[in-house]
Amino acid sequence: MKRSLVTGCAAIAIIACSGVASAQTKFEVKIGGDAFFQGAYVNQDRDQDTRSTEFANRFRVIVTPVATADNGLEYGGRVRMRAANGAGNVRTMDADRAFIFVNSSFGTLQAGTINGLSDEFGIIGPNVEGIAGGPDNNTVEFLNGSTTYDLLPSTTNNFRALASGDVGTKIIYLTPTIAGFQGGVSYMPRSGDSHTSINRRQDNGGFQDVVEVGGTYTNEFGGFSVAASAFYQFGDAVDDGVGAAATRFEKLSSVHAGLNVGYGNFKIGGSYAYSGDSGYDKSVTTKEKQDIWIVGAQYAAGPFILAANYSHSRGNDVATGTTPAKADLYQGGVTYTVAPGLTTGLEYSYLDLKTDAVGLDDRAHIIMVDTRLAF
């Protein structure tokens, strides 16, 4: 019933958004992208067999062919290609966005490989990716290789709706924006499968028939600005294996809400995400409910942005899903705009990890320099 309802709504949205287009105009191909280079120094209590310094980088190119028909219908596609993770002499490329879209007075329809609604539009506070001192800057990835990284709660790097960051092939409908409000709904048949990675079997883990619904609100009142978002995501769990030996997981039920308030050059805000037992192995008896609080503030002064952030995450460990853990992450940073599209930032982060595993609590200091290019 759920799949038929969502598929029917999608069909109606396609018809409504498309209308009747006459002569096609010439496509305009827009090219943009971004890149970062990060260098970090890490000092932690449990640092056996780990390095103190490390580098990371990412480069993405976005290609958007778009055209407008003479009835006003805008349509096209978008692909975001990136230099993917690699070690040694391995060099790979992938595309974490690859979808077609239609824009009209009835709203927007997107279909293809794209993240979920809360990942694309959900508010996490004023300090978004690229602002030093924010939660979305790859910071805790510099703990990779240590036992601490494997013991981090599942929510530490996943602070929106639980499966919203999955780029599984999906269809999304966004309403027109009315008085600052915009709603949306998405449907993904199966997590983990994108592009032409088709797998109709239901014994390989993950989630299926994933629906996400919610919306955003933005407005200004005098010198104040307000931005808010709320999304709910649900879906069925898929067993890993068949028969009596199969591993069975909890269904998906996840909520994310965020709010920002600004006045002049100052902004404050935060978010909360709760996913409960979603995705946990049903046979595991020690389960920490999955949630994360984020609170942040920033002040802009000319080319500088001063930022501070705090997050508290809970959940079972990300590596095995069997060990309850809690992490407090304190961050502060300054970002300087060198030139249009070019920034550099200095960030300090302190992580306090507590787990139910005896003797594996940890504390870590991370100092990171982050330089970014946007074009």
Side-chain angles (χ1 to χ4, degrees), residues 222-270:
F224 289 91
S225 63
V226 176
S229 66
F231 294 95
Y232 175 60
Q233 187 181 59
F234 60 94
D236 294 326
V238 181
D239 294 343
D240 191 359
V242 295
T247 301
R248 293 174 171 81
F249 301 98
E250 302 285 355
K251 289 185 177 182
L252 172 65
S253 179
S254 183
V255 63
H256 175 265
L259 173 68
N260 282 340
V261 177
Y263 181 76
N265 294 332
F266 180 76
K267 289 183 181 180
I268 188 170

Side-chain angles (χ1 to χ4, degrees), residues 1 10 44 49 72 121 126 134 139 183 198 267 275 294 305 314 319 323 349 360:
M1 178 65 180
Q44 62 185 123
D49 300 324
F121 306 107
T139 308
I198 301 169
K267 289 183 181 180
S275 303
I294 297 176
I305 297 177
R314 298 187 303 170
T323 304
S349 300
L360 293 183

Side-chain angles (χ1 to χ4, degrees), residues 2-361:
K2 179 172 63 181
R3 275 178 287 186
S4 299
L5 177 62
V6 174
T7 304
C9 292
I12 294 172
I14 291 173
I15 296 171
C17 286
S18 298
V20 178
S22 49
Q24 173 184 321
T25 59
K26 183 178 180 180
F27 274 87
E28 177 186 3
V29 179
K30 304 176 182 179
I31 298 178
D34 57 59
F36 70 61
F37 179 85
Q38 298 172 330
Y41 169 80
V42 181
N43 180 281
Q44 62 185 123
D45 293 344
R46 300 184 57 79
D47 60 356
Q48 184 178 2
D49 300 324
T50 61
R51 294 175 47 83
S52 296
T53 58
E54 192 59 89
F55 289 154
N57 79 298
R58 182 188 70 194
F59 200 108
R60 304 186 297 194
V61 175
I62 302 170
V63 180
T64 306
V66 60
T68 303
D70 55 10
N71 68 346
L73 181 74
E74 183 183 68
Y75 56 99
R78 179 170 299 154
V79 61
R80 186 169 77 178
M81 299 169 288
R82 62 181 182 177
N85 293 339
N89 292 319
V90 177
R91 302 291 183 268
T92 60
M93 294 286 292
D94 69 3
D96 65 339
R97 301 288 191 280
F99 61 93
I100 60 176
F101 63 84
V102 175
N103 297 326
S104 77
S105 59
F106 294 98
T108 298
L109 187 73
Q110 301 171 336
T113 297
I114 185 173
N115 283 19
L117 291 173
S118 62
D119 192 85
E120 291 288 323
F121 306 107
I123 291 169
I124 60 170
N127 303 322
V128 296
E129 182 183 2
I131 296 177
D136 203 11
N137 284 334
N138 204 49
T139 308
V140 297
E141 293 298 321
F142 284 98
L143 298 174
N144 197 359
S146 68
T147 56
T148 297
Y149 184 81
D150 293 334
L151 286 168
L152 288 172
S154 54
T155 52
T156 304
N157 261 347
N158 190 9
F159 30 74
R160 297 179 175 91
L162 188 64
S164 191
D166 191 294
V167 295
T169 302
K170 58 178 62 69
I171 188 166
I172 293 175
Y173 170 69
L174 303 171
T175 71
T177 300
I178 301 174
F181 289 94
Q182 183 178 44
V185 61
S186 72
Y187 170 69
M188 175 172 62
R190 179 180 173 84
S191 65
D193 285 328
S194 59
H195 302 300
T196 57
S197 175
I198 301 169
N199 189 346
R200 294 176 57 234
R201 291 188 62 85
Q202 299 184 22
D203 61 357
N204 295 303
F207 299 111
Q208 65 179 353
D209 296 329
V210 176
V211 176
E212 189 170 12
V213 61
T216 61
Y217 172 74
T218 57
N219 215 329
E220 294 186 0
F221 306 92
F224 289 91
S225 63
V226 176
S229 66
F231 294 95
Y232 175 60
Q233 187 181 59
F234 60 94
D236 294 326
V238 181
D239 294 343
D240 191 359
V242 295
T247 301
R248 293 174 171 81
F249 301 98
E250 302 285 355
K251 289 185 177 182
L252 172 65
S253 179
S254 183
V255 63
H256 175 265
L259 173 68
N260 282 340
V261 177
Y263 181 76
N265 294 332
F266 180 76
K267 289 183 181 180
I268 188 170
S271 65
Y272 178 67
Y274 179 82
S275 303
D277 293 339
S278 298
Y280 279 162
D281 182 345
K282 288 185 176 181
S283 67
V284 174
T285 57
T286 53
K287 298 177 182 177
E288 181 74 53
K289 300 294 186 182
Q290 302 170 91
D291 70 352
I292 180 169
W293 285 96
I294 297 176
V295 178
Q298 67 167 249
Y299 180 75
F304 293 94
I305 297 177
L306 307 178
N309 214 83
Y310 166 73
S311 63
H312 174 76
S313 55
R314 298 187 303 170
N316 280 17
D317 69 289
V318 68
T320 68
T322 60
T323 304
K326 300 177 182 179
D328 292 293
L329 182 62
Y330 304 85
Q331 298 175 284
V334 56
T335 304
Y336 174 66
T337 300
V338 180
L342 178 63
T343 63
T344 188
L346 178 65
E347 177 181 282
Y348 167 74
S349 300
Y350 172 73
L351 178 79
D352 185 5
L353 172 70
K354 293 182 172 61
T355 80
D356 284 6
V358 178
L360 293 183
D361 292 357

